Amino acid sequence: MQAEPEHDVVVIGSGAGGGMAAYVLTKAGVKVLMLEAGRNYDPLTETPMLHTNHQAPLRGAGTKDKVFGYYDATVDGGWEVPGEPYSRGEGSEFYWYRSRMLGGRTNHWARNSFRMGPYDFKPRSRDGLGVDWPVTYEDIAPYYDKTEALVGVYGRNDGLENHPNSGPGVLHDPPKARIPELLIQAAATDMGIPCVPARRAVMTRDLDQRKACYYASACGRGCAIGAAFQTTTSFLPWARATGNLTITTDAMVHEIEMGEDGKAKGVWYIEKKSGEHKFVPARIVILAASAGETARIMLNSKNAQAPDGVGNSSGQVGRNLMDTVGASMGARIPAFENRPRYNEDGAMGIHMYIPFWLYPEQAAGKLDFPRGYHYEMGGGFSQPDMGVGGYGDMAGGYGAKLKEEARRYYGSYVWFAQRGEMIPNEHCYAEIDPELKDNYGIPVLKFHYKHTEHELNQVAHFQKTTLELIDRMGGEVPTNVPSPKDAIAPGGWIIHEVGTARMGDDPGSSVTNEFGQSWDVDNLFLMDGAIFASKAHKNPTLTIMALAWRNTDYLVEQMQQGAL
């Protein structure tokens, strides 16, 4: 065992929350050590931005080791990580995605960046389910503006209910809608459903040293020019430039050590390459390792004062596990068959989306599900691969017939994805498996997960609405529509897991206060999705960053006042 010098702050995790915390702290002159469980990653030299699928094995198709395709930016990780198992409770289906690399999931995420609205922070006050957040939208709004301006987000202010506008000049201009999106928009408008420009953390104008997107590379591969936001091209190099950030990769943190005074003294980690155990003393500890990993570290940090894990006097660490409600549907649109070929790739993600539009009906009790969902959708001439944009099952035969049908169906397929709010329930949680350990000897998480009728009814509504949209587009659904129970994505599949150490205003029912500060350990802060009190249908990364910025401002203030 080997001790290291004491640092002002140790940040565990280099993704959205940890990256933001390190950026704000180092700009304020605080010395920070960042510990990342994954390997080092350099997006400037490791991003295959302009490679074509035909250059890759299996035409770039996903495999067990590279689930999002050969060129995906997740160079080490996935739902299965060698040597790092997890377990599931009986009858539970949950998948835990981990990106073991510097920058974590920010290197490959979809960049969809929707603000939570006023209703989303006070859900229990509206329908009596779950809990309210200890903050309001007005508390977070300035940090949404600052975060969007810093990372670069395209979109448009549409003034829709519970979908707040950004400040003047904050948003970058959105890319123009593609042909499939325009037809979806026409059908939606005919049904009284809004279909508006999406919001994504992709720049359409130059910003600092980063360049605007040039519409030629999939964001999931990573972005060497910084147009698609990831911490490895922004927060981390900016923080390093201050001279106040040290990063140690391949550092598997497994325990927070506590002092007799009830404060965190530092963290223990295993150097993955050597297997050596090391202790890092610190004045402040920030957990930003992801909702699952943060809960795992807390639950594994047991001592006489905290026999159930550090910061867990409420018993809520590991509880309230949530993921986005997900389902999907596709359709063939005959009007798109044999249409002229041209490049309509754009920003390689959604340009348009359908925000939830039924808040009045929901408030009036006219719906059989309590929370909202939105649509992400698209279609067009994506780069051919093993899937070839959905037409692979339509084209058949050999020779000239196959070529004719491939040309006919190419670009004629559209897809719709549901992204909805899940309500926490007692059946969804993570605990330490009493028997199983990973290759480093660290006890692993055991997940329990079960959807309720709230989520299943929401999926049924999505399916019914989507069928009507497709019908108005003159489309055809090529397969039978499964039941909501079969259609809903299993837990963890959307990779939006949150809530395992929720914030609140009551130490008896929450883990942290409104600033992510542990109720039990005042020099322990949480700055990832673990602190979410609910899981709005809006994708969580933008909110993780906005909260982390607010929480870090509070932390710096406390340090400057000598309170910490």
Side-chain angles (χ1 to χ4, degrees), residues 207-405:
L207 185 63
D208 46 67
Q209 85 283 5
R210 295 169 292 164
K211 297 299 181 182
C213 179
Y214 54 75
Y215 298 170
S217 182
C219 302
R221 299 181 176 197
C223 187
I225 65 170
F229 175 81
Q230 56 201 71
T231 62
T232 42
T233 57
S234 55
F235 294 160
L236 302 185
W238 298 341
R240 272 175 159 158
T242 67
N244 293 325
L245 176 64
T246 301
I247 297 177
T248 300
T249 54
D250 294 305
M252 194 78 177
V253 174
H254 59 92
E255 183 180 350
I256 299 168
E257 180 158 314
M258 297 295 298
E260 294 182 356
D261 59 358
K263 291 181 179 292
K265 294 175 60 179
V267 301
W268 285 96
Y269 74 90
I270 299 170
E271 191 176 77
K272 292 168 69 173
K273 292 181 178 177
S274 67
E276 186 176 1
H277 288 241
K278 293 188 174 182
F279 177 71
V280 179
R283 179 178 163 195
I284 309 289
V285 174
I286 293 177
L287 284 171
S290 83
E293 200 66 53
T294 286
R296 181 191 185 196
I297 294 169
M298 295 178 76
L299 291 170
N300 274 327
S301 301
K302 299 179 180 179
N303 55 53
Q305 292 80 27
D308 297 320
V310 163
N312 194 25
S313 64
S314 65
Q316 294 299 308
V317 176
R319 314 298 297 189
N320 312 302
L321 175 64
M322 298 166 278
D323 188 22
T324 292
V325 177
S328 61
M329 194 177 292
R332 183 173 65 88
I333 308 298
F336 289 160
E337 293 174 10
N338 284 319
R339 67 187 175 106
R341 307 288 189 264
Y342 57 91
N343 185 348
E344 59 180 1
D345 289 344
M348 296 289 189
I350 58 173
H351 290 186
M352 305 288 287
Y353 88 119
I354 294 176
F356 189 62
W357 68 102
L358 295 171
Y359 292 109
E361 290 80 358
Q362 206 162 53
K366 296 180 180 178
L367 303 180
D368 63 355
F369 59 96
R371 303 284 171 82
Y373 67 89
H374 71 260
Y375 277 82
E376 298 172 6
M377 67 276 179
F381 301 124
S382 59
Q383 184 182 160
D385 56 20
M386 295 295 280
V388 283
Y391 75 83
D393 294 335
M394 303 175 196
Y398 300 91
K401 181 177 184 297
L402 176 61
K403 291 181 180 178
E404 187 275 331
E405 291 194 352

Side-chain angles (χ1 to χ4, degrees), residues 95-298:
Y95 297 84
W96 187 21
Y97 195 93
R98 290 152 291 173
S99 293
R100 295 305 195 199
M101 59 191 296
L102 188 66
R105 301 180 193 177
T106 68
N107 295 298
H108 88 122
W109 66 305
R111 275 80 174 181
N112 298 331
S113 301
F114 307 112
R115 291 185 179 204
M116 290 172 58
Y119 302 165
D120 301 320
F121 286 99
K122 301 298 175 186
R124 184 175 179 82
S125 295
R126 285 179 57 80
D127 57 28
L129 298 170
V131 296
D132 286 342
W133 292 61
V135 296
T136 65
Y137 171 73
E138 288 71 26
D139 293 326
I140 309 301
Y143 287 91
Y144 274 133
D145 271 348
K146 291 165 59 171
T147 302
E148 289 171 349
L150 184 66
V151 307
V153 174
Y154 74 60
R156 189 179 74 187
N157 288 330
D158 289 288
L160 300 174
E161 184 176 9
N162 200 39
H163 295 87
N165 287 346
S166 300
V170 168
L171 296 176
H172 292 219
D173 291 337
K176 67 179 182 180
R178 308 173 180 95
I179 292 296
E181 292 164 325
L182 288 173
L183 184 59
I184 293 171
Q185 184 184 44
T189 301
D190 198 34
M191 294 169 61
I193 298 174
C195 181
V196 300
R199 291 185 175 213
R200 298 183 66 230
V202 176
M203 303 185 321
T204 56
R205 62 174 185 260
D206 291 353
L207 185 63
D208 46 67
Q209 85 283 5
R210 295 169 292 164
K211 297 299 181 182
C213 179
Y214 54 75
Y215 298 170
S217 182
C219 302
R221 299 181 176 197
C223 187
I225 65 170
F229 175 81
Q230 56 201 71
T231 62
T232 42
T233 57
S234 55
F235 294 160
L236 302 185
W238 298 341
R240 272 175 159 158
T242 67
N244 293 325
L245 176 64
T246 301
I247 297 177
T248 300
T249 54
D250 294 305
M252 194 78 177
V253 174
H254 59 92
E255 183 180 350
I256 299 168
E257 180 158 314
M258 297 295 298
E260 294 182 356
D261 59 358
K263 291 181 179 292
K265 294 175 60 179
V267 301
W268 285 96
Y269 74 90
I270 299 170
E271 191 176 77
K272 292 168 69 173
K273 292 181 178 177
S274 67
E276 186 176 1
H277 288 241
K278 293 188 174 182
F279 177 71
V280 179
R283 179 178 163 195
I284 309 289
V285 174
I286 293 177
L287 284 171
S290 83
E293 200 66 53
T294 286
R296 181 191 185 196
I297 294 169
M298 295 178 76

